Amino acid sequence: MKITILGAGSFGTAFAAHLALFGHEVKMWTRNCERAEHINKFHRNNSCFSETELPHAVSAASDIAEALAFSQHVVMAIPTQSQREVCGKIAPLAEEGVHMLNLAKGIEISTGSLLHQLHKELCPQLVYSALSGPSHAEELLLDMPTTVVVASKEESEARMWQKTVSAGSFRIYAGTDVIGLEVGGATKNIYAVAAGISKALKLGDNALAALACRGLAEIMRFGAKLGANPLTLSGLAGAGDLMVTCYSIHSRNFRLGLGIGSGKTLKEASEELGQVAEGAYTVRAVVENAQKFDVEMPLAEAVYRVLYKNESPTKLIKELFARPLKAEMRF
């Protein structure tokens, strides 16, 4: 099958290599003309994984119209906050019935929208699916065992992507809970930032495990308000993605938290990271929506206060432990 990938960052590149390795022909779109030329000439992405030779079935284009004309199957590997702009470019070019698979994880800050809502607004002619789960690009590139979920309102669409992408050590489960999948993929980044702060402060393994577990409780409460199935959030797209993001140095959000916990400002930690850490954006939209829907999310609020109010993590930890005692299971 021919497949277009919009975006040439780390996950888009790893995904392209995976697809090509197992028989698909892939064209990546990048805004950067020099990067596209470099990929076509040297079969390497000079912006990430530059030491890895890409399969010859991977090519690149800097013209989005050329990329979209290549295939009826399109993979979106663009950071969340840039998707509205890119969807604006897609809308007049994409035909009715084009299959779209979104790899991004996040919530649009300006509107508070999940990504399926954004795509429905701007590109309603596309048949939308989303993929999420514990999947670091560095490991996908090496064909290390990875298991994720693809969801679409149309079960047949999810099954199509499941069969198309599953190969080698990359196994995909299919489902129809797009809301749950996108809530899990977006919100877990917040708690990865908190996990990085916890690690930098040397709070210990007990604290890290509790943080992930109570973070999952917040995610489930938030997801329930938006219409997610709690079982989705207890699976790969929720608990699974949360664990890998909170415990791995591959995680951008975890590394951002390490910088913050070491005393850097958000600006300093972001510049040092040199990549997009979606949790720093998502926390703003999540906290705003949590207040609107009256959802209790003290950990998310604490991360927001550290990042945007310059409050001390140590002070907020004391506040969290001083909260009134409550039952564990509350929805």
Side-chain angles (χ1 to χ4, degrees):
M1 183 184 290
K2 289 185 174 182
I3 299 175
T4 294
I5 295 184
L6 302 178
S10 58
F11 202 77
T13 300
F15 206 75
H18 165 76
L19 291 172
L21 184 64
F22 291 99
H24 301 292
E25 188 178 348
V26 181
K27 186 174 288 293
M28 302 173 69
W29 172 71
T30 170
R31 308 169 192 266
N32 190 308
C33 296
E34 292 181 2
R35 186 180 305 170
E37 291 173 2
H38 192 90
I39 291 170
N40 290 332
K41 185 175 181 180
F42 299 106
H43 304 289
R44 297 177 189 272
N45 187 337
N46 58 359
S47 70
C48 60
F49 305 135
S50 57
E51 300 302 312
T52 301
E53 183 175 354
L54 300 173
H56 283 223
V58 176
S59 61
S62 56
D63 182 348
I64 196 168
E66 177 188 342
L68 291 171
F70 180 74
S71 172
Q72 294 290 297
H73 292 79
V74 179
V75 174
M76 177 72 90
I78 299 290
T80 297
Q81 307 311 320
S82 299
Q83 288 212 8
R84 178 170 292 274
E85 177 194 353
V86 175
C87 282
K89 297 177 186 293
I90 295 171
L93 298 171
E95 300 175 1
E96 186 80 26
V98 166
H99 307 275
M100 169 67 76
L101 177 65
N102 203 336
L103 306 183
K105 300 173 181 179
I107 296 175
E108 189 179 38
I109 299 304
S110 60
T111 64
S113 296
L114 293 170
L115 289 172
H116 75 276
Q117 296 169 318
L118 185 155
H119 280 254
K120 184 177 180 180
E121 173 193 344
L122 297 176
C123 303
Q125 75 271 37
L126 305 183
V127 186
Y128 184 87
S129 302
L131 180 146
S132 193
S135 49
H136 289 312
E138 295 85 352
E139 296 183 3
L140 176 59
L141 189 69
L142 298 174
D143 195 32
M144 296 175 72
T146 301
T147 307
V148 296
V149 185
V150 62
S152 177
K153 287 186 177 179
E154 301 293 333
E155 185 176 359
S156 60
E157 189 73 5
R159 294 286 185 187
M160 180 275 293
W161 281 112
Q162 179 186 40
K163 292 177 182 177
T164 299
V165 180
S166 289
S169 297
F170 195 45
R171 178 178 173 84
I172 297 180
Y173 288 88
T176 56
D177 184 12
V178 178
I179 295 174
L181 182 141
E182 291 191 341
V183 167
T187 53
K188 53 91 182 180
N189 288 324
I190 297 169
Y191 305 99
V193 175
I197 294 172
S198 174
K199 191 72 172 180
L201 295 177
K202 299 181 180 179
L203 299 183
D205 294 338
N206 293 347
L208 188 57
L211 192 157
C213 189
R214 296 311 301 162
L216 182 60
E218 293 189 9
I219 291 170
M220 286 183 160
R221 286 199 294 268
F222 184 72
K225 284 289 186 179
L226 298 182
N229 185 332
L231 289 176
T232 301
L233 295 169
S234 69
L236 289 164
D241 209 3
L242 178 67
M243 285 189 285
V244 79
T245 309
C246 285
Y247 301 158
S248 175
I249 197 64
H250 288 317
S251 166
R252 300 173 185 177
N253 295 279
F254 179 81
R255 298 202 307 273
L256 182 75
L258 282 175
I260 298 292
S262 300
K264 296 182 176 66
T265 65
L266 175 58
K267 183 174 184 294
E268 290 168 343
S270 298
E271 289 175 351
E272 182 179 74
L273 184 65
Q275 296 174 299
V276 176
E278 289 286 0
Y281 300 105
T282 303
V283 70
R284 293 164 56 190
V286 167
V287 167
E288 183 176 329
N289 279 333
Q291 292 170 348
K292 181 168 63 176
F293 298 135
D294 194 27
V295 181
E296 191 178 19
M297 301 183 76
L299 288 173
E301 290 176 9
V303 171
Y304 175 82
R305 289 166 64 186
V306 169
L307 297 184
Y308 294 102
K309 302 294 184 181
N310 296 317
E311 295 195 36
S312 162
T314 303
K315 167 180 170 285
L316 293 174
I317 291 166
K318 290 179 180 178
E319 282 188 21
L320 288 167
F321 273 84
R323 295 170 66 242
L325 300 176
K326 300 175 181 178
E328 182 181 21
M329 301 300 177
R330 294 176 298 108
F331 281 92

